[in-house]
Amino acid sequence: MKRLAFLTVFFCVLSLLLAPLVLAQTKPTPAKEAAKVAVKTGAKDAIRLGGIWDFAGPCYMLSESAVQGMRIAVEEINAKGGVLGRKMDLIVRDTEMKVDVGARETKDLILREKVNFLIGPCSSGVALAVQVVHSESKILRVTCMANTEAQVVDKFTPYVTQVVPNTYMEAVAATRYLHKKYPNAKKFCTIAPDYEFGRREEAAFEEEIKRLVPDAEILYQAWPKPGEKDLTSFITAIMAKKPDAVHSSFFGGDLVAFTKQAAPYGFFEKIPFIALYDLPVFIALGADAPDGVMAFGRGCFFMDPNPKMMEFVAKYRKARGAYPDSWAVQAYDSVYLIKAAVEKAKSTDTDKVIKAMEGISLDSLRGKFFIRPLDHMGSVPCYQGIIAKDPNYPFKVWKDIVRVPGEEVWRSEAGVREVWKKTGVTR
Amino acid sequence: MEANQMEQQKSWKKRAWWLIVLIAAGLIAPHVISEFYLLILGEALIMSLFALSFNLLFGTMGQLPFGQAAFYGLGGYGMAMLLTKLQINFWLSFVAGIGIAALFGLLVGIFCVRLRGIYFSILTLAFGQLIFVIIYKWHDFTGGDDGIQGVFPPEFLKDPMAYYYFILLVFGLSAFILWRIIHSPFGYTLQAMRENSERTEFLGIPIARYQLIAFVISAAFTGLAGALWAPFYRSVAPSTLMWIKSGEPVMATILGGAGLFFGPVLGTFLITFVHAYLLGFTHFWPIIMGTLILIVIFLLPGGILGFIKEKRDNRKKQNQPSQG
Amino acid sequence: MSFDILFNQFLSGIARGALLFLVASGLSLTFGVLRVLNFAHGSLYMLGAFISYSIWKWLLIPVVGFYVATLLTAFIMGGIGLLIEYYILRRLYARGWPEQLLATYALILIITDIVKWFWGGEFLSIPRPKPFTGAVFLFGFPFPSYNFFIILLGLALVVFLWWLVFKTHLGDIIRAAAHDRDMVSALGIPIPWLFTWIFALGAMIAGLSGAVTAPYGAIALGMDIEIIIECFAVVVIGGMGSLPGTLLGALIVGQVYSFGIMYKPELALAFIFMVMAIVLIIRPWGIFGRPER
C-alpha cells in the first residue's frame, strides 16, 4: 500500500504548488490598509480622536467599516479647514474584543495619545468596561456601534453619548413594524445570540409585543451562543412550535448561517421572520438572501438614499472600493457630531463640549436627529424593510422601507428615570 | 548535604545583588516612567503572579494545567460580586475572592489530581470551560457577558501610583511565599514526583494528597492575581476565564524558562511589554507571539533563563576541569 | 412532544454529529498514532474553509465547482500538513508532550493571523451545491439535503478509515505503530515518514471538513477556537485515538446538544463540558480508548 501513500503525497505537493495561485486572487483586502491606519496631520494643536475598536471575531469587519467611515469624515473635515481652525488626528486601537485589553488600550489612548474624544467600540461588553475607564478620566465617548441600552440607561455616565439606536429603540421599532405587517400574529418565537445585545433586544421585543397584543405568547426562545455554526436544532425546535412569527436579533455571520440552514426547511415561506439584514449579510448571501422577508437596520445607504448619503456612498466607494454599511455611516456621523459640539462649545474641554452637545441637533447622513439632554441618547432613526432584488446593485437590498425617528421609540424620560432608580444613577 | 547547603548559600548571595536591583527598580519606577507604562508594569506584575502560581504545578510538580484562568476569573468575580452587590468592604472582598478561588481549586483539584499527563490537562481544560460557561450564561447572577463594573479600590488606592505599589507589595510577598514553598520539603517532594512519581509513591508519599495541596495553593495565588486585577481597571468580564487566557501563563513560562523560579516572571514581562508596544501599530500580534514561541521551543529548550543558566554552567565546567 | 418533533431533533443531532465526526476524526487519528494532541486542528479546518471559498470563487463553475474546490482543498491542506509535520512537529518527538502541545498552540496563533491577512475579517458564504439545495421529506418533515450530504460523507469517511486501518497493509503498520513505534521502527519501517503521512492525512480530513462546512453555514474568524473545544469533547468521550470512539463521541455530543437545546437551551453547552469532565473522571481514556499513556 505504499502506492497509496506516495500517491496522496504526490497530489498534496502538487496542490500545494497550486495554492499561491488561489491565494493571489483573494482580493487584497482593503482591511489591511484601512484597519489600523491613523490620520496624523502633525499639527501641534490637533484635535485628537481615539477610535477604540475590536479587530477580532464578528466585530472585525464592522470595526473596519467604522474606521473607514471615521477616516473619510476626518479627512473631509481637515480638507475644509478643520474644527475651530484646528485639524483632526485619528488614532485607532484594537481591543482584540477582550475586555481587559480594551480597558488598557483606552487608557493608552487617554494617557499616551492624549485623545480628546473616543469613538467605539463594537462589542457591548467591551463598551461597558471601557466606559468605566474613560468616565473616570473624564473623556467623552461617542458610541456608534455597541448599542446596549446599558450604556446610557442602566450604567449612565455623562461621558457617553449614543448615535446608534439602542437595543430598546431598535427592538421596539422592529416589533411595531412586524405587528403592522402581521396584525393577527399572537404566538411568537425568538432566536438571538446569547449575550447582552441579543438578550436586551428580545426583552424589549417581548415588552413591546405584549403591549401591542395583550394576549401575545412567547412560545419558545432560542439562545444559541454567538458564533454558533450549527443552528439546525434551534430551527427545528422553533418550527415544531408553529409560531405566527419569529423575531430575531441575529446579525452578521450568525444570520448568514441561520438563513442558509433554515431555507431548506421552507422556514421563510412558512413563518414571517424579521432580523438585522444589513449590507454585509447581503453581500455574503448573494442570491441566498430570502426575498420577501422582513428586515431591520440602522442606516445602511440603501435604507436612506438621501442626497447627502449618496454623496457619502460615492466617496466611500472611491476610498474603499465597496459600498458603505450602517457601521461606516454611523461612525461618520459620530465624527460630525463631535465637530458640531466642539464648534458650539468653542472649546475641546470635555465638560463644555458635553454641555454644548446636550440638545444639539445634527444634520446627519441619516437625516436630522438631536441628542436628548437627559441621557445623551440620540434620536437616531430605526429602519425596517422587506428584502428584495434591485437591478442597480450586485446584492439584494430592501423595499417598502420605513424610517422611524428615534423619538418615537425611545424610552420616555420617565421610563429612563425609573430604571435609574433601580440601578442607582443619580442625575 | 552540606555541600548543597553551601551551594545554596553561595547562590543566594549571588542572587541577592540582582534581587536588590530589581526591588529598587520596582520602587522607583513610578517616578521614572510614564503613567501608561506604569499600568503595563502593574499588569506585568499581576500576570507574573499568575504565571508563578502556574509554574508551581508545571515546573515544580510536572503537570500542565490548562484551566487556570478559571481561578483567575473566580478570584476577580468573587471579589467583584461581594464588593458591588453586597457592598462588602474592599479588604474582606479581596480575601474572600482568594478564598473562593481556593475553594474551587479544591473542588476541581480533587478530581484532577487522580490523573496524569495529558488527561490531567484536558480535565483542567474541561473544568475551566465549564466554570467559564456557567459564569457567562448565568447572567442574572454574574452579569453574564457584560461583566461587572464599578469595582473600585478604596480612596487611597485609586491613584495609579498607589495601586501600583499595592500590586508590587502583594507580588513581592506572594513571590517570597511561593519561593519558600518550592524550596521547602513539601516543594522538594513535589519535584520528586515530577522526576519519578512511581519511586516517590514507593517511599510512602501520598501523591494525590500532595498534588491536591499544590493545586489548591496554585488556585489561591491565581485567584489572588485575579483579585488584584479586578480593581485595576475597575471591572471583570467572562472573557478572562476563557481557555485562551489559560494559555498565557503557559506561553510566558515556556518563554522565560520553567526550570527557574524567575523564568515565568521574565517571560511574562517580555510578553506583556512587547504586546503593549506592538499593539500600538499592528494588530497582527498573534502571529508574532506564535512564531516567538516556536523559536523558543526550538532554539531555547529551557526558555530564556534556562538557556542563560546552561551557558553559565557550561562556562563554569570549562573553568573548573577538575572537580570531585 | 410528538414523534415527528423528536425525530427531527434526533436528525438534527445526527447531522451535527456527522459534522463533528468529520472534523474530530482527523484529530483522533493524529493522537492515536502520533500521540500528539493537535490544538491547531481547528485552525486547519478553518483554513480549509477559507481556501475552499477562494477556489470556488476562482473556478466559478456551476455545480462541479464546489466539489472540485473541496477535493483540491483537501489536498492543499494535506500539503500544509506535510510541511507542518516535517518542519515543526518532527523535531519535537524527542521532547516532551508539553512542548508538542505548545507548538500546536502556537500554530493556532499563526494560522489565525494568516487567515486574517489574506481574507480579512469578513465572513463569507458559499451557497449549497446542486443537487443538495433543497430538502428531502422524512415522515412528512423536511430535512435539508445538504445535511444528508454531510451524513453520507461522514459515513464514507468511516468506511474509508475502517478500510484503511483494518484492511490494508498500511493499516496494519499504522495500528502497530500506534501500539509500539519503537518495535515497528526496529522492523525497518520508516516511522518518521509514516508519521508525516498520518499527520498529512489528518490535515486533509480537517481541510475536507472545513470545505464541506462552508456551504453549511458561514465562514468566519473564530471557527477554529469554536470547533476545537467540541472536538476535544468528542475525542475525550469516545476515547482518544479510537476511531469508533470518535464516531460514538460525535454522535453523543450531537444528540446532547440537540436535545439540550429543546429542554434547557442555556445549559446545552455546559452539558457538553460536564459530560466531558465526568468521562475523564470515571474513565479517562474514554469509552473505546485504551488505558495506556
Side-chain angles (χ1 to χ4, degrees):
Chain A
M1 273 296 124
K2 296 245 176 80
R3 262 178 295 140
L4 176 67
F6 280 129
L7 218 66
T8 47
V9 171
F10 173 70
F11 275 118
C12 287
V13 173
L14 197 66
S15 311
L16 208 56
L17 295 172
L18 259 177
L21 263 173
V22 173
L23 288 176
Q25 66 97 39
T26 60
K27 54 180 191 292
T29 49
K32 274 183 283 183
E33 47 90 8
K36 286 296 289 292
V37 179
V39 175
K40 287 213 167 85
T41 59
K44 284 253 163 64
D45 63 344
I47 299 178
R48 298 168 71 75
L49 279 183
I52 184 89
W53 291 105
D54 320 303
F55 291 95
C59 277
Y60 193 103
M61 269 186 82
L62 315 184
S63 298
E64 275 171 23
S65 294
V67 171
Q68 198 56 26
M70 282 171 78
R71 251 191 115 198
I72 293 181
V74 169
E75 284 171 351
E76 254 177 31
I77 292 175
N78 284 346
K80 298 211 183 99
V83 182
L84 297 177
R86 295 158 69 175
K87 301 265 168 147
M88 273 186 143
D89 276 351
L90 173 63
I91 305 111
V92 180
R93 285 282 183 269
D94 179 11
T95 72
E96 299 178 358
M97 215 162 149
K98 292 193 189 143
V99 165
D100 33 357
V101 179
R104 193 228 292 145
E105 291 304 302
T106 306
K107 278 258 161 167
D108 182 14
L109 284 170
I110 296 175
L111 294 174
R112 255 207 309 186
E113 301 288 348
K114 307 220 191 308
V115 296
N116 301 98
F117 307 101
L118 289 167
I119 299 183
C122 158
S123 150
S124 290
V126 174
L128 289 174
V130 161
Q131 188 160 327
V132 185
V133 171
H134 70 78
S135 299
E136 212 181 330
S137 304
K138 301 202 189 333
I139 296 285
L140 175 68
R141 173 176 68 100
V142 181
T143 177
C144 59
M145 196 182 294
N147 74 334
T148 171
E149 221 198 337
Q151 291 168 104
V152 290
V153 182
D154 308 47
K155 305 201 173 161
F156 175 84
T157 78
Y159 299 98
V160 176
T161 182
Q162 189 160 337
V163 300
V164 51
N166 66 41
T167 41
Y168 181 81
M169 291 160 73
E170 186 169 58
V172 165
T175 310
R176 292 185 187 169
Y177 185 80
L178 172 61
H179 176 66
K180 225 199 227 117
K181 291 272 174 189
Y182 294 93
N184 298 319
K186 284 206 203 324
K187 298 194 286 196
F188 301 92
C189 287
T190 68
I191 181 164
D194 189 7
Y195 73 116
E196 164 79 355
F197 165 74
R199 280 194 305 271
R200 288 236 173 206
E201 297 241 337
E202 299 312 325
F205 161 74
E206 196 175 336
E207 200 186 308
E208 182 67 8
I209 198 71
K210 292 212 169 129
R211 194 186 67 85
L212 294 169
V213 183
D215 51 344
E217 256 186 272
I218 311 276
L219 302 172
Y220 170 70
Q221 299 207 285
W223 297 110
K225 69 180 194 294
E228 172 67 74
K229 63 186 173 324
D230 184 5
L231 300 156
T232 328
S233 314
F234 296 102
I235 295 169
T236 46
I238 290 177
M239 293 185 80
K241 299 278 182 184
K242 298 203 185 5
D244 297 326
V246 172
H247 176 271
S248 169
S249 32
F250 262 154
F251 66 99
D254 291 349
L255 186 53
V256 171
F258 176 81
T259 306
K260 289 167 73 178
Q261 286 165 16
Y265 284 99
F267 188 94
F268 300 108
E269 285 87 32
K270 298 204 184 99
I271 305 178
F273 180 73
I274 187 167
L276 229 169
Y277 281 98
D278 197 329
L279 186 62
V281 175
F282 285 141
I283 292 181
L285 281 176
D288 280 344
D291 292 316
V293 168
M294 295 175 284
F296 64 89
R298 304 169 182 182
C300 184
F301 75 95
F302 58 77
M303 300 175 198
D304 201 336
N306 59 67
K308 222 171 168 212
M309 177 76 85
M310 298 318 279
E311 228 188 281
F312 175 66
V313 172
K315 256 185 240 162
Y316 193 90
R317 288 193 69 194
K318 204 154 158 248
R320 223 200 139 180
Y323 285 87
D325 52 27
S326 305
W327 329 115
V329 166
Q330 291 169 107
Y332 179 94
D333 283 343
S334 307
V335 177
Y336 272 92
L337 176 67
I338 292 178
K339 170 171 184 286
V342 169
E343 283 174 345
K344 187 163 168 219
K346 299 218 204 311
S347 144
T348 55
D349 170 69
T350 303
D351 290 317
K352 292 207 184 103
V353 172
I354 292 178
K355 252 214 150 47
M357 192 194 62
E358 289 172 353
I360 203 171
S361 160
L362 184 70
D363 195 6
S364 78
L365 293 176
R366 296 171 277 163
K368 263 201 167 55
F369 69 82
F370 65 93
I371 303 288
R372 182 159 75 174
L374 178 71
D375 55 355
H376 294 177
M377 185 64 228
S379 66
V380 281
C382 304
Y383 299 88
Q384 299 88 40
I386 306 269
I387 302 179
K389 283 205 251 291
D390 185 322
N392 296 321
Y393 302 111
F395 40 80
K396 294 199 184 167
V397 293
W398 294 2
K399 64 171 190 206
D400 292 354
I401 298 175
V402 172
R403 177 185 183 280
V404 180
E407 61 267 33
E408 285 181 21
V409 283
W410 63 18
R411 272 195 211 273
S412 65
E413 301 211 348
V416 171
R417 285 199 185 282
E418 246 186 81
V419 181
W420 281 353
K421 254 193 261 175
K422 274 189 248 156
T423 60
V425 174
T426 46
R427 182 157 164 80
Chain B
M1 254 299 128
E2 266 186 30
N4 226 341
Q5 280 178 333
M6 270 171 45
E7 270 286 323
Q8 271 209 6
Q9 279 186 354
K10 250 196 282 181
S11 62
W12 223 106
K13 287 218 186 81
K14 269 208 206 111
R15 282 201 199 95
W17 72 260
W18 62 257
L19 202 62
I20 293 177
V21 168
L22 278 180
I23 296 178
L27 287 170
I28 56 172
H31 306 280
V32 179
I33 61 183
S34 71
E35 191 184 340
F36 174 69
Y37 278 109
L38 194 64
L39 286 175
I40 307 289
L41 189 57
E43 223 183 281
L45 285 170
I46 295 177
M47 295 305 288
S48 295
L49 182 56
F50 189 3
L52 279 175
S53 43
F54 160 79
N55 207 27
L56 177 66
L57 298 178
F58 183 56
T60 310
M61 199 170 86
Q63 296 274 49
L64 181 56
F66 231 99
Q68 295 299 89
F71 306 119
Y72 182 78
L74 281 167
Y77 260 90
M79 178 186 178
M81 293 210 283
L82 289 172
L83 189 67
T84 57
K85 299 208 178 175
L86 297 178
Q87 261 78 43
I88 294 184
N89 128 346
F90 177 83
W91 299 107
L92 276 174
S93 306
F94 190 78
V95 172
I98 304 174
I100 292 174
L103 176 66
F104 276 89
L106 181 65
L107 295 172
V108 169
I110 289 180
F111 299 109
C112 293
V113 298
R114 284 134 110 254
L115 301 175
R116 305 285 151 78
I118 193 135
Y119 296 108
F120 174 86
S121 303
I122 305 242
L123 186 56
T124 53
L125 178 64
F127 272 119
Q129 279 300 100
L130 189 58
I131 295 175
F132 162 67
V133 169
I134 292 177
I135 290 191
Y136 182 89
K137 291 268 178 175
W138 204 354
H139 40 87
D140 292 332
F141 185 52
T142 65
D145 56 290
D146 272 358
I148 301 177
Q149 289 83 35
V151 187
F152 288 106
E155 278 308 316
F156 73 94
L157 282 181
K158 276 204 183 149
D159 178 57
M161 190 152 67
Y163 201 77
Y164 164 78
Y165 280 123
F166 174 57
I167 297 175
L168 188 63
L169 180 66
V170 175
F171 173 78
L173 282 173
S174 310
F176 178 67
I177 296 176
L178 279 169
W179 167 274
R180 297 288 295 173
I181 293 177
I182 293 177
H183 291 87
S184 71
F186 174 71
Y188 290 132
T189 315
L190 290 180
Q191 290 181 50
M193 288 196 287
R194 182 192 71 215
E195 309 268 312
N196 193 328
S197 53
E198 260 182 16
R199 265 218 199 136
T200 323
E201 225 170 348
F202 288 155
L203 287 174
I205 309 267
I207 299 226
R209 197 187 321 154
Y210 270 61
Q211 293 208 342
L212 182 60
I213 297 176
F215 199 86
V216 176
I217 295 176
S218 174
F221 278 101
T222 308
L224 173 59
L228 273 177
W229 177 263
F232 196 34
Y233 284 115
R234 321 290 196 236
S235 61
V236 288
S239 54
T240 39
L241 288 111
M242 287 171 67
W243 67 278
I244 300 283
K245 187 91 184 164
S246 295
E248 287 182 21
V250 184
M251 292 194 289
T253 304
I254 301 286
L255 189 65
L260 286 114
F261 184 76
F262 280 104
V265 180
L266 176 64
T268 307
F269 267 72
L270 215 65
I271 293 180
T272 311
F273 277 93
V274 173
H275 184 195
Y277 177 69
L278 283 177
L279 262 192
F281 49 87
T282 177
H283 53 110
F284 286 104
W285 158 250
I287 196 170
I288 297 176
M289 186 75 238
T291 319
L292 202 67
I293 297 180
L294 285 180
I295 292 178
V296 169
I297 292 181
F298 285 134
L299 299 177
L300 307 174
I304 296 177
L305 276 191
F307 182 68
I308 296 178
K309 180 169 186 288
E310 226 190 284
K311 278 271 142 103
R312 269 211 303 204
D313 286 348
N314 284 348
R315 243 189 303 134
K316 248 193 276 170
K317 260 196 237 142
Q318 284 175 354
N319 292 342
Q320 303 166 343
S322 52
Q323 170 108 71
Chain C
M1 274 293 131
S2 63
F3 169 75
D4 49 307
I5 295 173
L6 287 174
F7 183 67
N8 231 299
Q9 284 306 99
F10 170 72
L11 278 182
S12 305
I14 297 284
R16 192 193 182 91
L19 193 59
L20 276 176
F21 173 73
L22 278 174
V23 191
S25 55
L27 185 69
S28 203
L29 192 64
T30 322
F31 184 78
V33 185
L34 277 67
R35 283 286 181 254
V36 174
L37 190 62
N38 182 13
F39 260 100
H41 192 75
S43 309
L44 295 172
Y45 157 84
M46 179 172 76
L47 191 56
F50 277 95
I51 289 180
S52 80
Y53 173 84
S54 287
I55 299 178
W56 169 80
K57 215 156 162 245
W58 180 45
L59 293 176
L60 269 186
I61 308 171
V63 187
V64 175
F66 166 74
Y67 301 102
V68 171
T70 303
L71 207 60
L72 203 52
T73 303
F75 282 120
I76 292 182
M77 291 312 298
I80 293 182
L82 287 172
L83 293 175
I84 293 177
E85 202 280 342
Y86 187 73
Y87 285 110
I88 299 180
L89 280 182
R90 219 186 246 212
R91 301 169 194 223
L92 298 176
Y93 291 136
R95 310 267 293 273
W97 61 268
E99 277 92 338
Q100 293 162 16
L101 207 71
L102 254 126
T104 60
Y105 186 82
L107 275 174
I108 300 182
L109 300 174
I110 296 175
I111 295 180
T112 306
D113 264 4
I114 290 179
V115 170
K116 232 198 274 184
W117 177 262
F118 282 107
W119 286 274
E122 268 183 82
F123 50 84
L124 306 165
S125 164
I126 301 182
R128 295 172 181 202
K130 300 212 218 307
F132 300 107
T133 47
V136 291
F137 283 84
L138 296 162
F139 296 93
F141 231 112
F143 187 66
S145 358
Y146 197 74
N147 295 24
F148 250 132
F149 174 61
I150 293 184
I151 294 178
L152 286 174
L153 212 59
L155 280 171
L157 187 63
V158 170
V159 169
F160 169 73
L161 287 173
W162 174 79
W163 169 78
L164 176 72
V165 172
F166 289 104
K167 291 285 178 192
T168 63
H169 180 56
L170 187 56
D172 291 338
I173 300 178
I174 294 174
R175 275 183 298 141
H179 207 85
D180 190 338
R181 62 176 75 165
D182 297 317
M183 195 62 215
V184 173
S185 184
L187 288 174
I189 294 177
I191 284 284
W193 289 114
L194 181 68
F195 280 10
T196 311
W197 190 78
I198 294 280
F199 190 83
L201 184 63
M204 275 180 76
I205 297 177
L208 181 76
S209 352
V212 166
T213 304
Y216 190 61
I219 307 171
L221 288 176
M223 276 171 91
D224 52 349
I225 307 284
E226 224 201 286
I227 197 101
I228 194 69
I229 294 287
E230 265 190 84
C231 280
F232 281 172
V234 167
V235 299
V236 159
I237 293 172
M240 311 230 270
S242 155
L243 283 172
T246 308
L247 182 58
L248 184 63
L251 290 172
I252 292 178
V253 172
Q255 293 301 327
V256 169
Y257 201 77
S258 192
F259 281 98
I261 301 280
M262 277 195 93
Y263 296 109
K264 258 255 172 251
E266 320 82 58
L267 290 183
L269 198 57
F271 277 156
I272 310 268
F273 292 124
M274 273 196 273
V275 175
M276 198 174 157
I278 291 173
V279 169
L280 278 168
I281 293 170
I282 301 179
R283 198 187 149 90
W285 45 89
I287 298 180
F288 282 130
R290 273 163 313 181
E292 48 182 334
R293 202 334 144 107

